[in-house]
Amino acid sequence: AASVLISGVAGAIVVDRLKQQSTARGANRAAVAVTALVLRGKRRVEAGAEPQRAPKNVQIAMIGRITPWKGQDLLLRALAQMEAEPRVRFVGGAHFDGDDAYLAELEELARRLGIAERVTFTGHVTDPLAEAADADIVVHYSRLTEPFGQVVAEAMAAGRVVVAAGAGGPTELIDDGKTGVLVPPRRPDLLAIALDTLIDDWEQREQLSAAARDRGRDLDLKTSAAIADSLLARVARDVR
């Protein structure tokens, strides 16, 4: 199951809808598991975000399955063009056919670009939200337009500065320059500039972090419903 951040009214919506569908013993178990994830995420949001690190110590995370359309190679190419030298963690596994080959390509690309010593591929982790919360900046830079950026919502709620492709779901969540940063898709050169600017401006990162956390805690009902529907779909698959 994925870790999900939903607070307040949204959390209640998910729990109530799960209870309505939990008529079988297996569904009850699934509902309990998903509800626990919701409440765990809520507690993390309320606990507060860690302060942003100094420019020379900034850490970046990219959360998502290792697959070409997620754009991990675009971030690698951006890193090679940056003045700053942050450490970057690519959090996610290679789960399907072709993903292992893509991971090998990414590792080779990092070596060829001379940045391999600053890059870590974690593989699958059980709690990707913990990885996001430990970063200063979370990059979400998919090649393809995503209808809803769940990683973006979770990272914002954790008080992280999110840099995302300016298309699809992230544009509904991020107010560019106020609650995060949007960069034109498939432009690693512009992504490099955006990241360098953020890393150098410690004060701006702190402001964006606070604003992102406020935004993440107050997800609108449309967004909350989308997360709830996703959770319910997973529950339905698990109990069939």
Side-chain angles (χ1 to χ4, degrees), residues 142-200:
S142 299
R143 269 194 168 78
L144 304 180
T145 300
E146 297 197 42
F148 173 67
Q150 183 172 320
V151 168
V152 173
E154 293 179 349
M156 291 175 70
R160 301 299 85 195
V161 178
V162 178
V163 178
T171 64
E172 299 295 324
L173 298 171
I174 295 174
D175 187 352
D176 188 27
K178 295 181 179 179
T179 60
V181 175
L182 296 173
V183 179
R186 300 177 296 279
R187 289 292 304 272
D189 55 327
L190 298 183
L191 179 58
I193 293 171
L195 290 172
D196 267 332
T197 301
L198 277 174
I199 290 172
D200 187 58

Side-chain angles (χ1 to χ4, degrees), residues 28-62:
N28 277 322
R29 288 197 298 268
V32 169
V34 174
T35 301
L37 286 171
V38 170
L39 295 177
R40 184 180 68 183
K42 183 175 183 292
R43 284 195 295 272
R44 282 188 179 166
V45 173
E46 292 172 345
E50 291 295 323
Q52 289 283 308
R53 295 178 178 87
K56 67 177 181 179
N57 297 322
V58 164
Q59 295 187 25
I60 295 174
M62 191 176 204

Side-chain angles (χ1 to χ4, degrees), residues 83-100:
E83 294 183 9
E85 297 183 347
R87 304 195 73 81
V88 182
R89 291 174 67 81
F90 291 87
V91 181
H95 299 296
F96 298 98
D97 290 344
D99 289 352
D100 284 329

